[in-house]
Amino acid sequence: MTASDESILQWQEDGQERQLRWRSEAGWSAPARVQLADDQMPADVAYRLACEGTALLWRGDFQNARQLLQALGRRLDRPPRKAVAAPASPAEAFHRHRQAQARRARVLGMVLIEVDGNYAVHLRRAPDLRTAIGEAWGPPDGQPCAVAMRECFGLVGAHEWRKKGVEVPALGPPPANRIHAHYGVFSPVRGEYLDLIGAAPLPVGASLAWDIGTGTGVIAAVLARRGIARIVGTDLNPRALACARDNIQRLDLQRQVEIVEADLFPAGVAPLIVCNPPWLPGKPSSMLEQAVYDPGSRMLRGFLGGLRERLAPGGEGWLVLSDLAEHLGLRSRDELHALFNAGGLVVRERLDVRPRHPKASDASDPLSAARGREVTSLWRLGAA
């Protein structure tokens, strides 16, 4: 039972060869080994097979598959039998944490379900996932596929978050202050950086601003609510572009805010250019992690390297960045200042805020020591 290539899943069932298109939002290749599984499979057997790289194509009750995933998670959370030496540095602790996260995702991603060409799941007690899947994947094309069950739960979670939205105090009082993140677009759950953007002094006479890497469009919306006459938000991710346009429409800011597809900067110059790049250098393991991890600090380097020539005379660039990478040993403060200098930029002011998210005070988090010292800054940059 092998997959003929990375996009096709093959197995035997009822004496016949079967195959399905493989779909993975994380970009994983189709599992090379597939075994049918149902309610009779013990969790220990499922755990062993999943750890060995054998995918379990589920043919039993949907809710029992959910319970199996929970059982696999408990086994993954067991402490190791052999003592593990403490990490020698924060960077090593971070890399161990990432490796553990990747292994967990891989093992839990081995429980698969079949989704038909109209996004229905034909398992006992299966919920109706069609709306959640359609929001993420677009209109159905009539072709069935196999997908990790855990990924389907992610689609459902994103659907619920999209309906509910996130309250952003920097946008003003409710109810017109909610941002609705689409699947694959990072939600602005960390509101402290938006408070900085809402409070930082605007450049004198700034009637135009750019929001580089707009994502949900939340920064563009905050700038519009602060009275800037015209804002251009840029992004390359099609889901982000659709999400930002949706939010700007919901907030009735479409007369002030334009969302355009661009790699960093649009054409021209602006008196205010804002960028909140991914805060950690590293390779993302999923689409959502692209908002957290910036391979080779590409976006950070691109923004700082091109900012000066895009600033109008006397204009400012606002870089919103956490120093978590510094506490993890992934990037030093000196390296950041070297990027400022190389871009011909000077720091006019730095505004700081402590994070308020739950992980900042969670002693059980493997990165708690670094998170406890984290500060988010808004760097007001100008041409040297």
Side-chain angles (χ1 to χ4, degrees), residues 170-172 197-198 202 206-211 217-233 247-249 251-259 272 274 318:
L171 287 173
I197 292 170
L202 296 171
S207 59
L208 168 66
W210 294 347
D211 173 20
V218 63
I219 290 177
V222 171
L223 294 173
R225 287 281 169 83
R226 293 198 63 185
I228 295 180
R230 181 168 178 259
I231 300 99
V232 178
N247 280 309
I248 294 305
Q249 183 78 25
L251 296 168
D252 195 26
L253 295 172
Q254 62 272 24
R255 288 176 293 277
Q256 286 174 264
V257 181
E258 179 185 9
I259 304 299
L272 177 60
V274 183
W318 289 0

Side-chain angles (χ1 to χ4, degrees), residues 55-137:
L56 307 173
L57 183 57
W58 193 255
R59 293 304 195 212
D61 180 271
F62 185 92
Q63 301 304 328
N64 287 346
R66 183 195 296 269
Q67 293 179 10
L68 177 66
L69 279 178
Q70 293 171 350
L72 297 183
R74 289 193 295 270
R75 283 158 175 77
L76 286 165
D77 292 338
R78 289 172 179 168
R81 294 180 180 179
K82 295 182 179 179
V84 179
S89 66
E92 184 180 344
F94 169 74
H95 290 304
R96 283 191 191 180
H97 176 62
R98 289 279 285 159
Q99 289 172 354
Q101 284 183 316
R103 179 176 182 269
R104 182 184 182 87
R106 275 291 188 182
V107 172
L108 296 181
M110 286 295 169
V111 180
L112 314 182
I113 60 174
E114 183 173 347
V115 178
D116 78 7
N118 291 311
Y119 298 158
V121 177
H122 301 288
L123 296 173
R124 293 190 309 275
R125 293 199 295 167
D128 187 347
L129 305 179
R130 288 174 295 178
T131 300
I133 294 176
E135 284 180 350
W137 293 357

